Amino acid sequence: MPVETMKWRGNGLEIIDQHLLPMREERVLMTTVEEVAIAIETLAVRGAPAIGCAAAYGVAVAALEKCERDHVVRAIERLRRTRPTAVNLFYALDRMSGILDDAFSSGDPLARLTDEAEAVFQDDLALCRSLSMHGAELLNDGDTVLTHCNAGGLATSGYGTALGVIYAAVEQGKHIEVYADETRPLLQGARLTTWELAKSGVPVTLICDNMAAVVLAQGKIDHVIVGADRIAANGDAANKIGTYGLSISAGRHEVPFYVAAPLTSFDFELATGADIPIEERETAEIHSQFGTRTAPEGIRYYNPAFDVTPAENISAIISEKGVARPPFASVLENWNVTD
């Protein structure tokens, strides 16, 4: 794996603290549900699949704190309130809720909950590797990919979605280069994606968000690949703010625009992206980035964390089921059938 995003240590959940990257690589052991919840809310752990895995482990942490059913139920409700957009969070918590009766009727509820959280983690790793292999077939030796935000090992159980496609292509012997948008306001592309790609030996060039259209116009990019936090039944995809604009630029310059995500990021109960809840975050992320104020007091701010890219702007959606091309609805309907 390019990076070990998190690991169960028996006495708690250990994560790499993404606040500190790229300057310091430090790990934090969380032994209370509140610590896990705050880590998710403050983006110490982030990325839709990683949030789901952390939440699942958070339920096991709750059983460590107090191995009582009511306490674990309250912990699940606390974790549900952390972030609204990434559907993987709710998938993982629903999965943990679904085994509570079995866990507490067994001789060792903690072991049962820990095993299920580990299964959520291992399943995500397998799904990401599978979708990455499918996506790698879209890339040719010598291609250059533009990506936005971080959809790599740091955002998942440890392999990645959009970056996983790149890793898989490199493992196949293809030479792939990457341009990474910095991803304002929290610079996940600059701080995390470039760090992760450099650590993995993949050549990467950092650009400001407002350079993406020019780079596309200059013909430097062969493909755009992004992740997703929630995908509706029609193929509309919510991802980090700025993704929608990037899809428009890619379409204008006839560059394929791909979305890579496991089925745990799909919400088949939502007909379109218009129904996806969009998280709004603290205004300080805009006016006082990393502790330095860069905008005047007394003005209004708007800080949505995500936007929705309409299905018509997406060239293909990549999941562990394969590669879907427009029109998406019928293919995604088949993907929704449980094997």
Side-chain angles (χ1 to χ4, degrees):
M1 291 185 288
V3 62
E4 190 173 69
T5 312
M6 66 187 73
K7 187 175 182 65
W8 181 252
R9 291 297 186 187
N11 61 337
L13 175 62
E14 184 182 88
I15 63 166
I16 184 168
D17 187 345
Q18 298 187 34
H19 291 141
L20 305 177
L21 294 173
M23 305 309 295
R24 300 205 313 274
E25 183 178 343
E26 293 186 9
R27 299 182 182 276
V28 177
L29 182 67
M30 299 178 293
T31 59
T32 70
V33 171
E34 190 61 21
E35 287 174 334
V36 176
I38 291 172
I40 294 172
E41 288 170 339
T42 63
L43 312 188
V45 59
R46 40 138 305 280
I51 289 171
C53 293
Y57 280 125
V59 178
V61 168
L64 272 176
E65 284 184 291
K66 186 185 295 184
C67 202
E68 296 177 1
R69 194 180 193 284
D70 287 348
H71 176 71
V72 174
V73 169
R74 288 193 297 271
I76 290 172
E77 291 309 308
R78 170 67 179 100
L79 291 164
R80 283 186 188 278
R81 296 193 300 270
T82 52
R83 301 193 68 189
T85 302
V87 73
N88 307 65
L89 173 76
F90 306 103
Y91 161 81
L93 292 174
D94 286 346
R95 183 165 165 179
M96 298 301 289
S97 295
I99 68 155
L100 282 185
D101 288 341
D102 176 58
F104 279 93
S105 64
S106 71
D108 192 344
L110 174 59
R112 181 70 181 88
L113 291 170
T114 302
D115 287 347
E116 189 67 16
E118 182 67 17
V120 170
F121 177 90
Q122 292 297 334
D123 286 352
D124 180 71
L125 184 58
L127 296 179
C128 287
R129 285 188 178 276
S130 179
L131 76 85
S132 296
M133 293 300 293
H134 288 300
E137 298 304 316
L138 300 172
L139 304 185
N140 300 308
D141 184 32
D143 279 350
T144 299
V145 174
L146 173 63
T147 192
H148 187 71
C149 197
N150 174 265
L154 289 168
T156 66
S157 53
Y159 194 76
T161 54
L163 294 193
V165 170
I166 294 164
Y167 295 140
V170 171
E171 289 169 5
Q172 292 173 357
K174 299 172 184 175
H175 177 78
I176 305 295
E177 297 193 7
V178 178
Y179 275 69
D181 281 350
E182 62 183 345
T183 321
R184 291 179 181 270
L186 294 182
L187 305 181
Q188 293 97 328
R191 295 188 304 107
L192 306 179
T193 294
T194 60
W195 176 83
E196 185 176 325
L197 288 169
K199 190 178 180 72
S200 302
V202 178
V204 59
T205 300
L206 177 66
I207 61 172
C208 296
D209 289 0
N210 56 8
M211 298 176 185
V214 169
V215 170
L216 286 160
Q218 291 172 342
K220 296 180 181 292
I221 307 300
D222 298 296
H223 312 272
V224 178
I225 310 178
V226 299
D229 289 77
R230 192 180 300 217
I231 300 174
N234 72 333
D236 292 351
N239 193 50
K240 183 59 59 181
I241 192 73
T243 303
Y244 173 42
L246 185 58
S247 75
I248 295 172
S249 294
R252 171 66 178 80
H253 298 291
E254 299 182 345
V255 174
F257 184 93
Y258 304 134
V259 174
L263 287 186
T264 51
S265 296
F266 288 66
D267 190 343
F268 295 104
E269 294 184 1
L270 300 185
T272 73
D275 298 318
I276 297 176
I278 300 298
E279 176 184 7
E280 289 190 36
R281 294 188 58 80
E282 294 292 330
T283 60
E285 292 181 355
I286 297 178
H287 64 64
S288 299
Q289 190 180 79
F290 307 114
T292 300
R293 192 169 188 98
T294 56
E297 296 183 5
I299 64 171
R300 293 189 296 270
Y301 299 91
Y302 178 48
N303 188 24
F306 305 94
D307 56 29
V308 176
T309 299
E312 64 195 49
N313 290 16
I314 300 171
S315 305
I317 298 175
I318 306 160
S319 84
E320 68 271 23
K321 292 282 190 176
V323 177
R325 295 190 180 275
F328 294 114
S330 59
V331 178
L332 299 191
E333 183 177 359
N334 289 333
W335 282 4
N336 190 27
V337 176
T338 303
D339 292 332

